[in-house]
Amino acid sequence: MSLVKTDPYLFDEYYFKHGCGQPYERTDAWLNFFGGIAGAIVRTIQPRTALDAGCAMGFLVEGLRARGVEAWGVDVSEYAIERVAPSVHAFCSVGSIAEPLSQK
């Protein structure tokens, strides 16, 4: 049995509405949460680039980019990637880190 979940229906609308404690959508609560994480990453690690594997709707990618990090995201969920904010949509894609990445 493979540990890689590639079934796009595993992370569909139902999952994001019911599987994360509170609905996982673009709200102040989620944006503030990931903004705090992005701030901590920048303060402690000071990365120039970052990959968010399992980026879902790109909230961490958005927070990192707002802080000057060249951040990218990948997620197996087409549902989630379709909901990435327009400002970071070009930096988030459907895919799996189990497959070769298009860049270093």
Side-chain angles (χ1 to χ4, degrees), residues 7-104:
D7 183 346
Y9 298 106
L10 293 176
F11 302 103
D12 59 3
E13 180 179 10
Y14 183 86
Y15 170 80
F16 286 101
K17 289 190 185 245
H18 303 284
C20 302
Q22 62 179 316
Y24 191 86
E25 53 195 22
R26 190 174 189 78
T27 62
D28 286 342
W30 285 114
L31 293 173
N32 289 336
F33 174 77
F34 283 105
I37 291 173
I41 289 170
V42 169
R43 281 190 307 278
T44 59
I45 302 173
Q46 301 175 348
R48 288 181 292 185
T49 62
L51 172 66
D52 182 0
C55 70
M57 297 177 191
F59 301 148
L60 182 57
V61 172
E62 187 176 351
L64 288 168
R65 284 196 160 267
R67 289 162 177 81
V69 177
E70 188 177 336
W72 302 84
V74 62
D75 199 287
V76 297
S77 173
E78 289 182 23
Y79 176 85
I81 295 298
E82 288 171 358
R83 284 151 182 80
V84 170
S87 63
V88 293
H89 197 268
F91 308 107
C92 297
S93 62
V94 175
S96 169
I97 61 167
E99 299 298 325
L101 299 172
S102 63
Q103 64 191 67
K104 291 183 179 185

